[in-house]
Amino acid sequence: MGLIDALEQGAKLTREEWRHVLTKRNKEIADVVFQKASAVRDHVYGKKIYIRGLIEFTNYCKNDCYYCGIRRSAGASRYRLSKEEILSCCESGYAYGFRTFVLQGGEDPYFTEDRMEDLIRAVKSEFPDCALTLSVGEKSEKAYRKFREAGADRYLLRHETANREHYKRLHPSAQTLEHRMSCLAALKRLGFQTGAGFMVGSPYQTTECFIDDLQFLQEFRPEMVGIGPFIPHHDTPFAGEEAGSVELTLYLLALVRLMLPCVLLPATTALGTASENGTMKGILAGANVVMPNLSPQNVRGKYLLYDNKRNTGLEAGESLALLKEAVSTIGY
Ligand code: SAM
């Protein structure tokens, strides 16, 4: 546990040390790491779990990421929400107690800089006491500045993998790790609370990739980190690949919590999909954010990044009540 303690005290582990931490994992070690990570989270945040209302407002995407069910080449049934529909999602979320909205979507050319700016201003003026998080992919610094000036507070842009060779095997050549990283740097420069992150168990991922990811996160120090298991989607080049391990995902969440004590760390939908009690397991491993879905029921079945994506079929208020109950049974 020496290396885990060192990590908790802010040490930068060498590659060799990370390799040791990642490859010597067993249930006993993982349980201790989960307990330590939970204690760190409790120390920083107490017993509070933060909720963010997720609005998946478009599944059109110009990109063709090999893993993603809404990639350009997939036969997804496409939709985009109108500004009025988005505001109405916020309104019902607000009534349930949500004070952060996350607008997430594919890279949809319909949502130009100007349309996004208008949307951001509308949400921020109707809900001035709410934080607004965007997750709409790679844009120019000029566009990010516009979004920031319009009032957006946070931006989620997973780096996906910090290993250049791995990045090339997950994306067509038009998409590069350099560009993804330059977007993250711009977001930080502009004062967004910035979220990076990666999938666990994506094809061709090795221990060396995880070391690159962890070292990158330690350097970049994002305010938020999204980590979830890769889950295959039937209409992508990775249809036949295996899903990522839930246990390894939990272990990585815990390591990130130890390394970045104040980080906002969601128990992701993919984790909740891959394991029945995934959300609770995530919290017990150090996560402190959950993102219930506020999208209208009629489009929820269309934002399918992977197969069997969890959809409780409940409206937001009901699922929030169940979530609160489940979280309180584990003491949060
Ligand atoms: N377009 C925006 C972007 O690129 O950041 C946001 C939407 S994108 C679909 C959100 C995240 O979903 C990606 O960053 C990726 O990590 C995750 N994702 C996509 N396909 C997935 C899959 N098959 N399994 C698990 N996560 C997946």
Side-chain angles (χ1 to χ4, degrees):
M1 282 300 143
L3 290 176
I4 297 297
D5 291 334
L7 189 62
E8 196 178 340
Q9 282 147 28
K12 293 201 166 149
L13 305 189
T14 63
R15 288 193 77 88
E16 192 50 45
E17 289 169 333
W18 272 123
R19 209 169 287 125
H20 186 88
V21 168
L22 290 166
T23 56
K24 299 292 179 246
R25 171 177 65 99
N26 59 30
K27 182 163 180 345
E28 211 182 326
I29 293 176
D31 284 342
V32 175
V33 173
F34 296 158
Q35 276 167 25
K36 283 179 183 283
S38 265
V40 167
R41 185 263 329 276
D42 290 0
H43 180 72
V44 177
Y45 288 105
K47 296 288 185 182
K48 282 188 190 163
I49 301 298
Y50 294 81
I51 53 168
R52 277 77 173 93
L54 181 62
I55 303 168
E56 296 161 336
F57 71 107
T58 173
N59 72 349
Y60 283 86
C61 192
K62 68 178 174 61
N63 290 337
D64 225 9
C65 310
Y66 300 147
Y67 44 84
C68 186
I70 63 166
R71 66 198 298 261
R72 182 180 70 223
S73 307
S77 152
R78 305 286 168 172
Y79 73 91
R80 57 174 71 95
L81 301 183
S82 67
K83 180 171 145 188
E84 290 66 35
E85 286 172 311
I86 294 168
L87 289 171
S88 133
C89 295
C90 296
E91 196 178 320
S92 57
Y94 192 92
Y96 295 123
F98 287 91
R99 292 296 178 271
T100 296
F101 302 117
V102 182
L103 294 184
Q104 188 179 84
E107 291 196 21
D108 178 355
Y110 171 84
F111 285 100
T112 57
E113 286 175 29
D114 288 346
R115 286 203 174 103
M116 282 307 297
E117 185 186 8
D118 180 55
L119 184 58
I120 295 162
R121 289 196 192 280
V123 173
K124 290 297 284 193
S125 73
E126 282 209 25
F127 306 95
D129 58 337
C130 292
L132 181 59
T133 305
L134 301 179
S135 178
V136 290
E138 298 176 32
K139 309 282 172 193
S140 67
E141 181 155 0
K142 178 175 139 280
Y144 287 149
R145 182 173 298 109
K146 248 185 174 175
F147 301 167
R148 182 84 186 105
E149 285 170 2
D153 304 280
R154 308 185 183 131
Y155 204 105
L156 302 175
L157 184 74
R158 290 186 179 180
H159 63 282
E160 311 296 1
T161 171
N163 180 286
R164 188 169 293 107
E165 290 313 308
H166 188 213
Y167 199 93
K168 283 189 193 160
R169 303 189 83 164
L170 300 182
H171 303 96
S173 57
Q175 294 171 248
T176 65
L177 179 60
E178 287 68 23
H179 193 255
R180 196 89 178 163
M181 291 301 197
S182 73
C183 286
L184 279 165
L187 290 165
K188 233 188 178 191
R189 252 195 320 275
L190 291 165
F192 280 101
Q193 282 188 36
T194 304
F198 58 94
M199 292 177 289
V200 175
S202 59
Y204 312 109
Q205 192 174 40
T206 63
T207 299
E208 300 309 304
C209 300
F210 289 128
I211 298 174
D212 292 334
D213 289 323
L214 292 162
Q215 290 193 322
F216 163 69
L217 291 174
Q218 195 166 30
E219 277 302 310
F220 186 69
R221 304 197 78 75
E223 284 79 15
M224 304 168 285
V225 175
I227 299 179
F230 160 75
I231 304 175
H233 183 284
H234 62 276
D235 197 13
T236 63
F238 292 159
E241 301 287 339
E242 257 179 56
S245 147
V246 168
E247 286 307 312
L248 183 53
T249 303
L250 296 170
Y251 191 63
L252 285 154
L253 283 173
L255 293 176
V256 169
R257 168 63 64 203
L258 291 171
M259 193 168 74
L260 303 172
C262 301
V263 77
L264 289 160
L265 194 61
T268 55
T269 309
L271 182 59
T273 297
S275 162
E276 201 173 331
N277 295 319
T279 305
M280 300 308 130
K281 289 181 186 164
I283 292 172
L284 293 171
N288 68 333
V289 174
V290 283
M291 298 169 62
N293 200 323
L294 291 182
S295 311
Q297 288 288 359
N298 64 323
V299 302
R300 282 210 206 158
K302 294 184 180 173
Y303 197 83
L304 296 180
L305 310 181
Y306 41 80
D307 290 337
N308 306 315
K309 184 174 168 227
R310 184 186 60 180
N311 177 2
T312 59
L314 300 174
E315 51 90 19
E318 287 172 310
S319 69
L320 186 61
L322 287 178
L323 182 65
K324 279 188 179 166
E325 194 181 305
V327 165
S328 73
T329 62
I330 57 166
Y332 288 86

